[in-house]
């Protein structure tokens, strides 16, 4: 039902406010449903790929260790046994190679799902992603479309150091021709990955290693094989009226925890899960800020030219007169990620940082 | 890896027997259904995973000059088991030399005077085909000349000629089937010409006008046409190589009677994508024909500064790819080699590498003046004495299939057609503003729609800021 609501919203059938009312209504309706299931993000991704491969023989998976090893993070578990080595392809170690091959296969009409062991390694293939995949449809005037999905863990994990912890959301989301998605919950993972695989444009799908093992409640509707979420729509995870907190991926969990703490102090925070970094749902963000008059935007990645910077610019441009406080940006520290656990914690946004920023925006603290 | 050991029962027993030895000896007749390759025979065995069905063992390479010397030692009969298969060993420490004593010879059919050297390995070409090939080679020459001049006159911004490589362009195209998917580098417009792209269509792309299939999105010479199975030229070098492996893989999965054919220059083989593309195509057993135009120069970088191997052909074996070196200025040799390569690629589902030796007579592009880094004499020599078009012309004329009258008629009519095409293309209007925002995605996103509306309104509001006749 979320999917249908989302689609209607895209068609303009519902206004943002009525949509929010219906969503909150559904949230309460769901909590009465008996025996609600839970699913890990890992299983959500696995089931999404499985179902899409089953539905469309052109879909195939490619990447290092995706086959016999069942996937470096077990996202492709069981797929080799089910679909065979032609559709679950273990590649040699060459990101440039297999990304190029994926793009070529997509040019020829197949639908590859290319896994990067982490998006840090995608830098070795970035020319194929940007100069070939992103720009081909435009350069060929619609003759060559590239229905490819690039997926894998993005951003910081735990204790993996600088070359395994960078967030690429801002880099990829700056490129016209790409779509960039960042799921948070299991439902996000299922719905967005299915949408990405079905989409005729190249999609960069940014997962998070630490979320793979996390369990989330999942509705019957989201478990259906035809379930799909719209690309370009953010989700309001928690409604509020005092301050808007926008974020994506793992930080959504942090923001929700921060909202709980703020509620104890009488601040009602609205948490927006972006879901889609490109196209960015500026309409939802601005509508929320016009309601709350305050913005706190959170991301894990480096601060300069980040996703938060874009959101701040959008809000200042479109909702300036609604703002009662300066916009707040919380991002990772402007340093390559250190390894030591204490340093790593200091280099990433924490719940307390979000709480403090929200309070600052509400003039509750210095 | 575990499966290799499981399959060989003899190994388990010999392991038990020979635990004291530093090396594991394997008896030659073990329970393998495949022939065992001894020591220095050059073999490439693909480790067979029983759970897969489509991977097969590639055969030994025949009649190749040995890169490794044979040895007469007794213990060469023994073999070692390693991941990847059995390999003989020797107590003689011998390094494989960095180059063979003899360079790989190139296959040619016609001598410099257009006479057939030997009809031993030569697929005959009919009069109709030969005449068409010659006409197209001459057309390509005229097209290159006229577009180059147009750029010099400032009518188009950029151009890149294929002078000296007409045989590679046309003969390779003639040897392929129309279903074969071509991923060009940028010096192969002749392939598109052969497949039916008209001179007007070439002109429209160079002018980026409204009739251009590329909708004015690309700079000149970046031709592409879906209906001709010719993928749009892409500027970054060698990216088309792993992409060709991907296209080959798609054709293989869909069991099509077609292969992917991709072109690269000598310089492009230095790119990482060359390694990835060839290695991968071999592992995937994809039907891809890699054609390397070794024309001696990568802008100003001579091949002696590009690699130290014997050209490109020797690299094929390093990837387990069957390869051949061909005289790229001999249209019949190129035709024969590409035709055979294509057959093998499709029938045997494997990649093939062809190195076509040639010379880049023209400058790299209109942004280059090659007299700055090479002798004018050298250019003249190749232009006059080693001209592939003249050579093929001699053969066609000797067969009585072409006359001087045909020649002058063809050249003058092609020239006229081109001049008209350029004039028409120049006058044709450019793309309207709406094409700025189309095709970024399959369906325009909301922010693009908003931007388009905003820009239209701006242009209407401030017409003085936009040139007259600006198309909205």
């Amino acid at each position: 039902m979320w999917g249908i609501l989302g689609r209607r919203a895209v068609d303009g059938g519902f206004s943002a406010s009525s949509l929010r009312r219906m969503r909150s209504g559904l949230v309460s309706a769901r909590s009465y449903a008996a025996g609600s299931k839970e699913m890990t993000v890992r299983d959500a991704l696995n089931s999404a790929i499985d179902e899409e491969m089953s539905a469309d023989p052109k879909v195939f998976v490619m990447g290092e260790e995706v086959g016999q090893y069942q996937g470096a993070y077990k996202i492709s578990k069981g797929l080799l046994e089910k679909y065979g080595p032609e559709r679950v392809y273990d590649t040699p170690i060459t990101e440039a190679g297999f990304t190029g091959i994926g793009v070529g296969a997509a040019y020829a009409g197949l639908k590859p799902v290319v896994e990067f062991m982490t998006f840090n390694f995608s830098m070795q293939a970035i020319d194929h992603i940007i100069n070939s995949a992103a720009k081909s449809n435009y350069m060929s005037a619609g003759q060559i479309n590239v229905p490819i999905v690039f997926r894998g863990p993005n951003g910081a994990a735990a204790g993996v150091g600088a070359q395994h912890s960078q967030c690429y959301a801002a880099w990829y989301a700056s490129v016209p021709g790409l779509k960039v998605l960042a799921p948070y919950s299991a439902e996000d993972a299922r719905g967005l990955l299915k949408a990405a695989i079905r989409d005729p444009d190249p999609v960069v799908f940014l997962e998070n290693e630490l979320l793979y093992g996390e369990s989330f409640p999942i509705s019957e509707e989201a478990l259906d094989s035809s379930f799909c979420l719209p690309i370009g729509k953010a989700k309001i995870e928690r409604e509020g009226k005092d301050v808007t907190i926008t974020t994506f991926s793992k930080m959504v969990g942090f923001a929700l925890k921060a909202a709980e703490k703020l509620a104890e102090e009488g601040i009602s925070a609205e948490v927006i899960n972006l879901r889609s970094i490109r196209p960015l749902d500026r309409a939802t963000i601005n509508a929320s800020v016009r309601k709350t008059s305050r913005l706190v935007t959170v991301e894990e990645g480096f601060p300069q030219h980040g996703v938060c910077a874009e959101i701040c610019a959008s809000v200042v441009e479109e909702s300036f007169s609604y703002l009662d406080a300066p916009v707040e940006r919380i991002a990772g520290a402007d340093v390559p990620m250190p390894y030591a656990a204490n340093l790593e914690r200091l280099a990433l946004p924490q719940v307390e940082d979000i709480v403090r920023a929200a309070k600052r925006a509400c003039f509750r603290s210095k | 890896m575990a499966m290799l050991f499981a399959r060989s029962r003899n190994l388990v027993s010999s392991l038990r027997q020979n635990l004291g030895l530093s090396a594991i000896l394997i008896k030659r007749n073990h329970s393998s259904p495949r022939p065992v390759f001894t020591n220095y025979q050059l073999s490439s065995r693909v480790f067979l995973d029983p759970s897969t069905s489509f991977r097969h063992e590639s055969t030994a390479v025949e009649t190749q000059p040995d890169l490794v010397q044979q040895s007469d030692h007794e213990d060469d009969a023994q073999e070692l088991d390693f991941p990847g298969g059995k390999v003989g060993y020797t107590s003689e420490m011998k390094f494989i030399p960095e180059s063979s004593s003899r360079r790989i010879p190139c296959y040619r059919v016609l001598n410099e005077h257009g006479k057939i050297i030997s009809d031993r390995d030569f697929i005959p070409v009919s009069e109709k085909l030969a005449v068409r090939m010659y006409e197209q080679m001459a057309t390509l020459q005229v097209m290159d000349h006229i577009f180059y001049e147009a750029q010099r006159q400032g009518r188009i911004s950029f151009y890149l000629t294929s002078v000296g490589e007409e045989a590679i362009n046309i003969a390779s195209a003639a040897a392929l089937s129309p279903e074969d998917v071509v991923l060009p580098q940028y010096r192969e417009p002749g392939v598109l010409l052969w497949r039916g792209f008209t001179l007007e269509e070439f002109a429209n792309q160079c002018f980026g006008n409204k009739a251009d299939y590329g909708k004015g999105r690309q700079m000149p010479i970046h031709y592409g046409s879906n209906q001709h199975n010719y993928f749009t030229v892409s500027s970054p070098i060698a990216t088309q190589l792993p992409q060709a492996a991907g296209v080959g893989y798609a054709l293989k999965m869909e069991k099509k009677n077609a292969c992917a054919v991709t072109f690269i220059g000598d310089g492009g083989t230095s790119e990482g994508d060359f390694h990835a593309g060839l290695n991968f195509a071999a592992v995937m057993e994809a039907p891809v024909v890699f054609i390397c135009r070794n024309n001696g120069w990568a802008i100003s970088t001579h091949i002696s500064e590009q690699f130290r191997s014997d050209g490109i052909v020797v690299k094929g074996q390093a990837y387990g790819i069957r390869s051949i070196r061909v005289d790229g200025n001999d249209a019949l040799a190129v035709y024969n080699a590409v035709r055979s390569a294509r057959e093998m690629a499709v029938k045997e589902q494997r990649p093939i590498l062809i190195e076509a030796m040639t010379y880049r007579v023209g400058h790299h592009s209109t942004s280059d003046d090659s007299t700055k880094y090479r002798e004018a004499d050298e250019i003249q020599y190749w232009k006059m004495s080693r001209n592939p078009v003249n050579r093929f012309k001699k053969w066609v004329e000797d067969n009585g299939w072409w006359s001087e009258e045909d020649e002058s008629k063809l050249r003058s009519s092609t020239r006229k057609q081109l001049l008209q095409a350029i004039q028409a293309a120049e006058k044709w209007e450019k793309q309207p503003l709406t094409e700025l925002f189309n095709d970024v995605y399959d369906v325009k996103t909301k922010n693009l729609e908003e931007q388009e509306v905003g820009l239209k309104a701006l242009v209407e509001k401030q017409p003085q800021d936009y040139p007259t006749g600006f198309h909205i």
Side-chain angles (χ1 to χ4, degrees):
Chain A
M1 211 172 319
W2 287 113
I4 295 169
L5 272 178
R7 278 196 287 281
R8 287 241 187 94
V10 167
D11 294 342
F14 289 86
S15 70
S17 53
S18 63
L19 186 62
R20 276 202 305 281
R21 276 198 296 277
M22 291 188 75
R23 275 175 166 158
S24 57
L26 268 163
V27 165
S28 36
R30 260 227 313 253
S31 60
Y32 292 131
S36 59
K37 288 204 181 126
E38 287 221 331
M39 195 181 220
T40 60
V41 170
R42 175 178 288 116
D43 290 340
L45 295 167
N46 181 272
S47 61
I49 301 174
D50 193 348
E51 286 161 21
E52 293 305 305
M53 285 181 79
S54 174
D56 186 348
K58 290 190 191 287
V59 177
F60 74 102
V61 169
M62 190 161 61
E64 293 154 1
E65 309 299 314
V66 295
Q68 277 189 297
Y69 195 76
Q70 309 293 316
Y73 296 100
K74 305 290 177 268
I75 306 299
S76 52
K77 189 170 178 196
L79 296 179
L80 175 66
E81 286 70 39
K82 198 165 169 186
Y83 297 102
E86 286 184 6
R87 292 184 71 195
V88 181
Y89 196 82
D90 270 328
T91 66
I93 306 179
T94 162
E95 278 70 17
F98 64 72
T99 307
I101 286 170
V103 170
Y107 284 169
L110 293 184
K111 294 187 181 178
V113 177
V114 176
E115 174 174 306
F116 289 116
M117 208 177 277
T118 114
F119 264 95
N120 293 270
F121 306 152
S122 74
M123 291 197 288
Q124 293 180 287
I126 205 164
D127 181 87
H128 281 291
I129 300 173
I130 311 246
N131 272 333
S132 294
K135 299 179 185 172
S136 276
N137 199 48
Y138 191 74
M139 292 193 302
S140 72
Q143 289 186 72
I144 303 174
N145 75 312
V146 192
I148 194 169
V149 175
F150 301 106
R151 52 157 292 273
N154 173 63
V160 289
Q163 293 172 330
H164 294 78
S165 305
Q166 190 167 334
C167 174
Y168 291 86
W171 280 30
Y172 288 121
S174 71
V175 179
L178 287 179
K179 289 180 177 165
V180 180
L181 303 176
Y184 162 63
S185 63
E187 181 182 306
D188 286 358
R190 263 183 69 79
L192 292 176
L193 186 52
K194 277 162 158 303
I197 294 173
R198 294 179 201 175
D199 198 292
D201 296 311
V203 180
V204 171
F205 194 81
L206 304 171
E207 301 159 5
N208 185 291
E209 192 202 316
L210 298 177
L211 284 177
Y212 283 153
E214 253 192 64
S215 255
F216 291 88
I218 192 149
S219 64
E220 278 305 318
E221 194 228 342
L223 288 168
D224 187 65
S225 65
S226 63
F227 177 66
C228 194
L229 285 174
I231 292 178
K233 283 304 296 172
K235 179 186 177 197
I236 299 180
E237 293 284 348
R238 181 192 173 112
E239 287 214 0
K241 56 179 180 54
D242 293 331
V243 59
T244 299
I245 304 177
T246 69
T247 186
F248 60 96
S249 189
K250 188 157 131 276
M251 290 289 124
V252 175
F254 282 34
L256 288 169
K257 287 201 187 97
E260 286 291 328
K261 288 204 169 153
L262 289 164
E264 286 164 22
E265 304 194 35
I267 298 177
S268 156
E270 178 149 292
V271 176
I272 300 184
N273 170 6
L274 293 173
R275 280 182 168 174
S276 180
I277 317 295
R278 177 182 259 270
L280 194 58
D281 190 353
R282 295 163 212 274
T284 300
I285 298 167
N286 277 283
S288 172
V289 172
R290 290 178 186 209
K291 186 177 73 163
T292 64
S293 311
R294 294 176 182 87
L295 175 71
V296 171
T297 170
V298 186
E299 69 178 317
E300 242 184 26
F302 298 138
Q304 193 167 340
H305 311 300
V307 175
C308 291
E310 177 63 33
I311 293 173
C312 287
S314 173
V315 163
V316 165
E317 282 167 1
E318 295 180 39
S319 310
F320 184 70
S321 50
Y322 293 82
L323 285 169
D324 284 349
V327 293
E328 290 270 354
R329 251 195 313 177
I330 303 175
D334 203 13
V335 301
M337 184 65 68
Y339 165 75
N342 63 323
L343 295 178
E344 188 178 37
R345 193 183 184 283
L346 287 168
L348 289 168
Q350 303 299 330
V351 175
E352 304 78 59
D353 297 314
I354 305 175
V355 169
R356 273 194 292 269
K359 282 183 179 173
R360 272 198 304 271
C362 296
F363 299 111
R364 298 294 186 89
S365 71
K366 294 212 178 63
Chain B
M1 319 300 154
M3 285 184 244
L4 172 64
F5 289 101
R7 271 210 327 268
S8 163
R9 274 172 263 130
N10 281 352
L11 172 61
V12 176
S13 50
S14 41
L15 261 175
R16 285 206 205 104
Q17 288 165 23
N18 299 307
L19 275 171
L21 300 179
S22 54
I24 298 167
L25 301 177
I26 293 155
K27 299 209 175 94
R28 246 208 261 175
N29 334 315
H30 87 67
S31 53
S32 161
R34 283 170 301 287
V36 170
F37 290 108
T38 55
N39 40 320
Y40 296 102
Q41 269 179 318
L42 295 167
S43 66
S44 41
R45 293 176 82 198
V46 172
F47 170 62
L48 187 73
D49 178 346
S51 74
T52 70
S53 53
F54 75 96
R55 293 197 181 119
H56 67 264
E57 182 188 32
S58 58
T59 54
V61 175
E62 299 138 20
T63 61
Q64 279 283 349
D66 287 333
L67 291 181
V68 174
Q69 311 286 326
Q70 296 281 350
S71 172
D72 296 326
H73 287 192
E74 180 65 42
D75 48 13
D76 297 341
Q78 310 280 9
E79 293 182 322
L80 295 175
D81 233 349
F82 275 114
K86 278 192 278 299
V87 64
Y89 68 90
T90 175
S91 47
E92 203 187 335
M93 184 176 72
K94 240 190 169 77
F95 281 74
I96 301 173
E98 67 276 14
S99 60
S100 189
S101 49
R102 189 174 167 239
R103 289 192 66 181
I104 307 283
C106 73
Y107 165 68
R108 69 162 24 184
V109 173
L110 292 177
N111 66 17
E112 286 305 331
H113 308 289
K115 303 264 186 278
I116 295 198
I117 302 168
S118 147
D119 45 20
R120 197 183 74 159
D121 278 327
F122 157 54
I123 307 165
V125 169
S126 69
E127 175 183 348
K128 188 165 165 216
L129 182 61
V131 168
R132 178 153 196 251
M133 278 169 66
Y134 178 73
E135 282 177 340
Q136 296 269 289
M137 284 167 75
T139 303
L140 179 57
Q141 267 189 333
V142 180
M143 182 174 101
D144 270 348
H145 175 71
I146 303 239
F147 278 130
Y148 186 88
E149 291 304 314
Q151 194 278 342
R152 282 290 178 249
Q153 291 165 14
R155 294 161 91 178
I156 55 176
S157 66
F158 177 83
Y159 193 71
L160 194 148
T161 65
S162 312
V163 181
E165 302 182 47
E166 295 86 356
I168 296 175
N169 266 254
I170 301 298
S172 63
L176 299 171
S177 87
E179 288 76 43
D180 295 328
V181 179
V182 174
L183 291 93
Q185 184 173 337
Y186 46 60
R187 220 179 285 281
E188 305 90 17
V191 176
L192 194 51
L193 182 68
W194 178 271
R195 286 186 168 190
F197 214 59
T198 65
L199 299 174
E200 290 74 25
E201 287 168 329
F202 278 111
N204 288 335
Q205 198 284 329
C206 287
F207 281 90
N209 61 26
K210 203 167 175 187
D212 168 29
Y213 299 145
K215 295 191 195 164
R217 304 265 172 72
Q218 288 263 50
M219 50 187 288
I221 71 103
H222 285 67
Y223 318 111
S225 173
N226 253 6
Q227 63 173 125
H228 297 104
N229 275 328
Y230 187 94
F231 278 138
T232 311
V233 172
S234 176
S235 303
I237 301 288
T239 54
Q240 68 274 12
L241 299 178
Q243 288 169 7
V247 170
Y249 190 70
L251 293 171
K252 182 190 180 80
M253 292 244 300
E254 299 185 324
K255 299 190 168 41
K256 295 232 168 97
N257 178 7
C259 65
V261 180
T262 184
F263 292 84
I264 187 74
D266 43 280
T269 65
S270 294
E271 281 278 358
D273 272 344
F274 173 80
H275 168 76
L278 265 70
N279 186 42
F280 234 123
V283 171
M284 291 199 303
E285 293 169 7
V288 187
V289 178
F290 293 98
I291 301 179
C292 174
R293 294 175 295 95
N294 183 347
N295 63 18
W297 294 93
I299 310 189
S300 68
T301 307
H302 186 253
I303 46 176
S304 58
E305 294 170 316
Q306 196 70 250
F307 41 69
R308 285 299 155 92
S309 54
D310 171 17
I312 314 307
V313 65
V314 292
K315 296 183 180 180
Q317 192 170 59
Y319 295 110
I321 294 180
R322 204 172 286 168
S323 346
I324 189 170
R325 170 173 275 162
V326 132
D327 178 351
N329 285 2
D330 178 346
L332 288 181
V334 173
Y335 176 81
N336 274 249
V338 174
R339 208 161 129 185
S340 306
R342 193 237 170 233
E343 292 285 318
M344 283 189 277
V346 176
K347 279 211 181 73
E348 297 177 49
Q349 293 288 295
R350 56 164 66 246
I352 308 285
L353 172 65
I354 297 176
E355 180 184 14
M357 310 296 284
T358 182
Y359 186 85
R360 192 196 77 208
V361 171
H363 306 305
H364 165 71
S365 73
T366 49
S367 310
D368 174 46
D369 174 10
S370 60
T371 57
K372 290 213 157 57
Y373 50 80
R374 55 184 187 175
E375 296 295 329
D377 291 345
E378 181 187 301
I379 306 172
Q380 264 305 95
Y381 167 71
W382 282 91
K383 189 171 179 177
M384 307 312 287
S385 324
R386 303 287 293 273
N387 188 314
V389 183
N390 291 348
R391 192 158 149 205
F392 191 58
K393 182 180 168 193
K394 285 189 191 122
W395 183 71
V396 177
E397 277 176 341
D398 282 350
N399 280 323
W401 298 338
W402 191 257
S403 69
E404 274 311 311
E405 206 196 309
D406 294 326
E407 179 77 14
S408 52
K409 239 184 8 190
L410 173 73
R411 295 225 173 225
S412 65
S413 76
T414 306
R415 189 188 152 81
K416 197 163 146 204
Q417 199 185 340
L418 274 160
L419 290 172
Q420 282 171 349
I422 288 179
Q423 276 174 1
E426 212 170 23
K427 291 207 187 73
W428 214 310
E429 56 184 16
K430 298 282 190 272
Q431 301 289 340
L433 186 152
T434 37
E435 287 305 335
L436 183 62
F437 299 102
N438 280 344
D439 304 318
V440 180
Y441 298 106
D442 190 55
V443 172
K444 231 181 277 181
T445 52
K446 206 153 82 74
N447 68 315
L448 286 176
E449 280 173 351
E450 286 166 14
Q451 287 172 36
E452 188 179 347
V453 166
L455 184 56
K456 269 192 189 151
L458 180 63
V459 172
E460 268 157 37
K461 199 169 156 188
Q462 312 279 1
Q464 74 281 0
D465 289 342
Y466 298 94
T468 46
F470 191 78
H471 298 99
I472 303 175

